[in-house]
Amino acid sequence: MHLTCLGIMRKLIHLWIDKGTLNVRLPSLTTTKLSSSLMSLKFFIPCEFSRKPRGLCDLNRYKATEFRQILIYTGPIVFKNILNNDCYKHFMALNIAMTILLSNNMDNYLEYAQNLLNYFIQNFEPLYVRHLMSFNVHGLSHITNDYKKFGPLDNIAAFPFENYLKQLKNMVRKHDKPQIIKRLNEKNSIGVKKPNNLIKYEELKHKHTNGPLLENISRTQYKKLYLKNLKIKVGSKTDSYILNKSNEIIKVENIVNLHETNNIKQLLLEKILKLKKICK
């Protein structure tokens, strides 16, 4: 993922705003508009994203996760009608290919993803001139094989390792002689448990009595439901919407505990939009 985030996506944005040729570089007013569009989205980003969008004035301080967010989620929105048609089509080829390679059970679409990546690579030079081609652009031709071997690319992303670096840095006591290996061996020898930062599966929080409720139901109501990899917050603009397996966007109006054992929950849902399946 760092190949596409820091290697490709960062390069593309720089080409569009300050380092590209005149045929692809955006005027300063358009760059300002693009930056404002990115910042306006921060009020609609769910809590599952570790970082909110920032303006392009902070581009040199962007983290890989921010480029990933632009590449997969916000880019198709903010770049539309901003980039010229050729650049936008070129970017969308990468966006769709990466969406496939980050998803489960997409083996039937790997050939399509590879064709999109080949299109992106072959058209990079005509759009952005030869001397701006880099090894990262060539590296895109191999990531479909990584999917075949390891599954979705998040399985082999470097993000978990980077997150663990903080714990390793805290083990260093002397700058001249780091003792990380000894500290790890000490923890293993005394059986220190790894900190569990994951939210307990199916945890309900913040009781309320405001409804709405279905007829003949009178149970404890909650505003927050924490699942293994998902947080649902009633009344939140960003965290009260979910996407079900039928590709329907659902708004959660209330969370009701039907059994005191916390094993079964009922979500009072309002269907607001039905999406067509991406792949048919």
Side-chain angles (χ1 to χ4, degrees):
M1 280 305 298
H2 280 62
L3 180 146
T4 54
C5 297
L6 294 177
I8 301 297
M9 197 62 239
R10 179 168 61 181
K11 176 186 284 289
L12 287 177
I13 296 178
H14 274 297
L15 289 173
W16 295 331
I17 67 173
D18 58 9
K19 294 183 179 180
T21 55
L22 292 178
N23 62 314
V24 298
R25 196 188 313 163
L26 298 174
S28 58
L29 289 178
T30 306
T31 300
T32 302
K33 180 180 178 181
L34 175 60
S35 182
S36 299
S37 297
L38 281 170
M39 289 190 292
S40 68
L41 293 176
K42 67 182 180 181
F43 302 106
F44 307 98
I45 300 298
C47 61
E48 283 75 23
F49 289 90
S50 59
R51 293 178 180 271
K52 303 293 185 182
R54 291 191 284 176
L56 294 178
C57 58
D58 294 319
L59 180 61
N60 291 330
R61 292 184 289 274
Y62 272 24
K63 301 296 184 181
T65 54
E66 294 173 278
F67 288 113
R68 184 185 191 276
Q69 184 183 99
I70 293 174
L71 171 61
I72 303 299
Y73 300 101
T74 60
I77 300 172
V78 298
F79 295 147
K80 188 175 179 62
N81 300 324
I82 293 291
L83 302 177
N84 64 50
N85 290 334
D86 291 336
C87 289
Y88 185 73
K89 181 180 178 181
H90 189 245
F91 164 76
M92 287 303 299
L94 180 63
N95 167 271
I96 297 171
M98 292 306 301
T99 300
I100 293 173
L101 296 177
L102 289 169
S103 303
N104 292 310
N105 304 318
M106 299 297 284
D107 293 340
N108 294 335
Y109 299 94
L110 292 184
E111 182 179 355
Y112 179 53
Q114 185 64 55
N115 290 337
L116 289 172
L117 291 173
N118 291 339
Y119 168 85
F120 182 89
I121 296 168
Q122 293 166 6
N123 286 274
F124 193 95
E125 179 182 339
L127 274 175
Y128 303 111
V129 304
R130 183 180 182 86
H131 75 274
L132 294 174
M133 291 279 288
S134 66
F135 184 77
N136 287 323
V137 178
H138 165 75
L140 292 175
S141 62
H142 300 289
I143 59 178
T144 303
N145 291 330
D146 292 334
Y147 187 101
K148 294 177 182 178
K149 187 173 182 180
F150 302 105
L153 297 185
D154 277 338
N155 293 344
I156 54 173
F159 293 118
F161 300 95
E162 288 191 345
N163 293 337
Y164 190 65
L165 282 178
K166 181 179 180 181
Q167 298 182 40
L168 295 179
K169 289 172 65 176
N170 291 336
M171 297 178 188
V172 178
R173 294 292 181 266
K174 296 181 180 179
H175 295 289
D176 56 337
K177 295 181 179 180
Q179 302 292 313
I180 294 178
I181 299 300
K182 289 185 178 180
R183 299 291 83 79
L184 289 173
N185 289 334
E186 289 171 359
K187 287 188 175 184
N188 292 333
S189 63
I190 62 177
V192 175
K193 294 183 179 180
K194 296 180 180 180
N196 184 10
N197 297 324
L198 295 178
I199 297 173
K200 185 172 64 175
Y201 183 65
E202 291 190 351
E203 182 179 1
L204 293 167
K205 286 189 174 183
H206 292 195
K207 295 181 181 180
H208 73 98
T209 58
N210 301 327
L213 287 171
L214 295 176
E215 295 182 4
N216 302 322
I217 290 181
S218 179
R219 294 290 188 273
T220 307
Q221 305 170 58
Y222 296 86
K223 289 188 176 182
K224 295 182 180 180
L225 171 62
Y226 291 170
L227 302 177
K228 186 175 182 180
N229 296 310
L230 177 68
K231 298 178 184 178
I232 301 174
K233 301 177 182 179
V234 174
S236 170
K237 290 183 179 180
T238 59
D239 300 310
S240 61
Y241 296 89
I242 58 177
L243 182 69
N244 66 13
K245 292 182 178 180
S246 300
N247 279 336
E248 297 171 326
I249 295 179
I250 305 296
K251 181 180 180 181
V252 180
E253 296 286 357
N254 198 5
I255 301 171
V256 180
N257 184 8
L258 293 182
H259 296 269
E260 296 302 326
T261 58
N262 285 346
N263 289 328
I264 302 177
K265 282 89 181 174
Q266 176 180 356
L267 303 181
L268 303 182
L269 306 173
E270 175 189 351
K271 186 184 300 183
I272 62 169
L273 180 63
K274 184 173 183 179
L275 298 179
K276 293 182 179 179
K277 291 185 177 180
I278 297 176
C279 302
K280 287 189 176 181

